């Protein structure tokens, strides 16, 4: 009889323990489910959470940061510095693509007549062999511009200047409809990102097949035409 009572007590204790565990796990699961439903997902990568600092306030921000670069805050490198760098490289890339295609279509600039090839990576070396001082002057100019740019970025962060805004608006776009200006800012960064890919593609294909961008496109269409 004593053995029966001990067994019954043990069974009751086990059942109570299982029920508590079940309720506890259910509560945890419910909490996790509730937390997941409140966490905002990235617009560009819906299977990832939206990066904390990418709240959509910047033009072109769709929460794309799989490497977590927006969380860097070391050696004076933070989201402000990265945004300034992105806008600067976007603008440079748009100028670069336009320049590469312009020279390929209309020919070299005055004083650079020796750079006759359509491929601009090869034209660079033609110019280097004929007038290395042009290249040297260009590199020195880039160094000076980058030095000034670094100072401007540091100073801009201190005074609260918006990244990429240097007050250059000769057509007065910023003085019109704020919504329209926001749209233009988005178009600028989106086209700039596309231009960075385009510039990289032009340089890569130029070093691999030694053809100009338009020349390579026409050859591809001709070779693959049905």
């Amino acid at each position: 009889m004593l053995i029966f009572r001990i067994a019954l007590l043990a069974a009751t204790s086990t059942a109570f323990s299982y029920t508590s565990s079940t309720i506890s796990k259910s509560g945890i699961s419910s909490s996790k489910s509730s937390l997941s439903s409140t966490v905002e997902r990235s617009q560009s990568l819906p299977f990832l959470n939206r990066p904390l600092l990418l709240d959509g306030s910047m033009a072109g921000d769709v929460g794309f940061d799989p490497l977590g670069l927006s969380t860097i805050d070391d050696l004076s490198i933070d989201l402000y510095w990265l945004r300034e760098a992105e806008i600067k490289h976007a603008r440079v890339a748009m100028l670069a693509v336009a320049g590469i295609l312009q020279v390929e279509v209309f020919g070299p600039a005055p004083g650079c007549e020796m750079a006759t090839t359509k491929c601009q990576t090869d034209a660079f070396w033609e110019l280097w062999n004929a007038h290395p001082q042009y290249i040297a002057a260009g590199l020195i100019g880039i160094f000076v511009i980058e030095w000034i740019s670094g100072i401007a970025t540091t100073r801009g962060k201190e005074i609260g200047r918006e990244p990429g805004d240097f007050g250059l608006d000769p057509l007065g776009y910023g003085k019109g409809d704020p919504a329209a200006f926001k749209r233009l800012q988005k178009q600028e960064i989106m086209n700039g990102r596309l231009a960075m890919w385009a510039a990289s593609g032009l340089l890569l294909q130029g070093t691999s097949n030694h053809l100009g961008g338009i020349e390579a496109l026409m050859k591809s269409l001709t070779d693959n035409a049905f």
Side-chain angles (χ1 to χ4, degrees):
M1 191 65 177
L2 180 60
I3 296 175
F4 175 75
R5 288 179 180 178
I6 293 173
L8 182 61
L9 182 62
T12 305
S13 175
T14 302
F16 179 77
S17 175
Y18 175 78
T19 304
S20 300
S21 176
T22 304
I23 293 173
S24 177
K25 289 180 180 179
S26 176
I28 292 173
S29 299
S30 177
S31 298
K32 287 183 178 179
S33 176
S34 176
L35 182 61
S36 298
S37 63
T38 58
V39 173
E40 185 178 351
R41 294 293 184 175
S42 168
Q43 182 180 346
S44 58
L45 301 172
F47 52 87
L48 295 178
N49 294 337
R50 176 184 64 80
L52 182 62
L53 298 179
L54 301 183
D55 56 4
S57 58
M58 296 186 297
D61 175 17
V62 290
F64 183 81
D65 186 22
L67 299 180
L69 299 179
S70 62
T71 61
I72 296 177
D73 189 11
D74 191 22
L75 299 176
S76 300
I77 298 177
D78 55 11
L79 182 59
Y80 184 94
W81 188 91
L82 293 172
R83 178 64 171 181
E84 184 93 5
E86 180 188 32
I87 294 175
K88 177 177 68 175
H89 284 84
R91 291 167 176 170
V92 169
M94 286 188 282
L95 290 172
V97 172
I100 289 173
L101 298 180
Q102 182 269 333
V103 171
E104 182 179 351
V105 173
F106 299 103
C112 305
E113 290 81 5
M114 70 296 301
T116 56
T117 181
K118 295 289 186 182
C119 175
Q120 295 308 297
T121 52
D122 290 343
F124 172 86
W125 295 111
E126 290 177 343
L127 184 61
W128 171 265
N129 292 329
H131 296 291
Q133 67 272 21
Y134 290 179
I135 306 299
L139 294 176
I140 293 173
I142 292 173
F143 172 80
V144 172
I145 292 172
E146 283 297 305
W147 179 66
I148 297 173
S149 175
I151 297 175
T153 301
T154 303
R155 178 61 179 161
K157 183 180 178 181
E158 292 174 352
I159 64 177
R161 174 180 60 79
E162 185 177 346
D165 181 10
F166 295 96
L168 181 63
D169 186 18
L171 299 180
Y173 289 121
K175 299 176 182 177
D177 182 14
F181 187 59
K182 285 284 187 182
R183 185 174 66 253
L184 290 174
Q185 287 180 314
K186 182 178 180 180
Q187 291 173 348
E188 178 192 33
I189 194 63
M190 298 300 285
N191 282 284
R193 289 168 179 169
L194 179 61
M196 286 189 276
W197 282 107
S200 299
L202 286 168
L203 295 176
L204 181 61
Q205 69 88 25
T207 56
S208 60
N209 60 17
H210 302 282
L211 296 174
I214 298 176
E215 185 181 15
L217 174 63
M218 299 309 297
K219 186 177 187 305
S220 176
L221 292 175
T222 301
D223 293 347
N224 296 283
F226 292 98

